[in-house]
Amino acid sequence: MSVVQQIPKGRVLCLADGEGRNGVYLAQQGCQVTAVDASPIGLEKAQKLAAERSVAIETVVADLAEFPIQPDDWDAIVSIFCHLPPTIRAHVHRQVVTGLRSVGVFVLEAYTPRQLAFKTGGPPTAELTMELATLQQELKGLEFKHAVELERDIQEGLFHRGRSAVVQVVAVKA
């Protein structure tokens, strides 16, 4: 994670953390990580990876549509390739804004609609992708420090490999 130095060492919520690569990495950097995902199998793998790396993470099996992000509870929230239907995504992003503590950091990377042409991973429909303009609306209340749509090579697991069209955000709650 290239923005790790911008993530506070406190309480970090990792959304849709799957097998835990991001959450475990952040725990290795000294963060107190809670990883949320709908897959109990993925989170079992996350716990195994954490044990192999001699760190601890909390894992929560939950549907993000129903997972409550408590207000002013998190020093950072991380969303890496967390693709949700638009109404659920907007709801989760509203909770992200309120869930961050003052000067809390939100980090996001997701595929844009242009990704469909690459066929190198990501959601099967444009509806599940994200665009910067939409994120700026959904994340009102955060100050964007880094916000860009770009193409880059991705090598993350079996389903995210090759040239990709992504949106990246690093934002801070004032």
Side-chain angles (χ1 to χ4, degrees):
M1 183 177 294
S2 63
V3 297
V4 71
Q5 67 278 4
Q6 297 176 56
I7 297 174
K9 298 288 189 249
R11 290 176 36 82
V12 177
L13 177 63
C14 292
L15 303 174
D17 203 36
E19 296 180 6
R21 284 187 304 275
N22 294 311
V24 169
Y25 178 76
L26 290 169
Q28 289 177 293
Q29 307 312 305
C31 298
Q32 300 167 325
V33 174
T34 299
V36 178
D37 199 276
S39 170
I41 294 168
L43 291 177
E44 285 175 20
K45 291 178 180 180
Q47 285 291 358
K48 182 179 178 192
L49 180 62
E52 290 170 1
R53 305 263 171 94
S54 300
V55 295
I57 64 170
E58 178 185 0
T59 53
V60 178
V61 176
D63 180 338
L64 287 174
E66 300 169 8
F67 179 75
I69 300 175
Q70 298 301 318
D72 300 312
D73 201 26
W74 301 97
D75 297 299
I77 300 175
V78 176
S79 175
I80 307 298
F81 300 118
C82 173
H83 293 275
L84 301 167
T87 55
I88 295 170
R89 184 188 67 231
H91 168 73
V92 169
H93 286 166
R94 282 190 302 275
Q95 288 192 90
V96 163
V97 173
T98 61
L100 287 170
R101 295 176 177 156
S102 180
V103 302
V105 176
F106 179 57
V107 175
L108 174 141
E109 183 168 42
Y111 290 114
T112 68
R114 291 187 2 246
Q115 175 61 20
L116 296 174
F118 286 103
K119 300 184 188 323
T120 55
T125 65
E127 176 186 57
L128 295 174
T129 63
M130 297 178 218
E131 293 179 287
L132 183 56
T134 303
L135 290 169
Q136 289 169 324
Q137 292 299 313
E138 292 176 353
L139 296 166
K140 280 190 184 231
L142 300 183
E143 180 184 344
F144 285 67
K145 301 292 188 182
H146 173 78
V148 65
E149 289 186 17
L150 58 93
E151 290 180 13
R152 75 178 189 92
D153 291 321
I154 294 179
Q155 301 300 324
E156 294 186 20
L158 294 175
F159 302 109
H160 302 282
R161 296 186 159 276
R163 196 73 178 161
S164 300
V166 299
V167 57
Q168 298 175 335
V169 169
V170 177
V172 176
K173 185 173 183 179

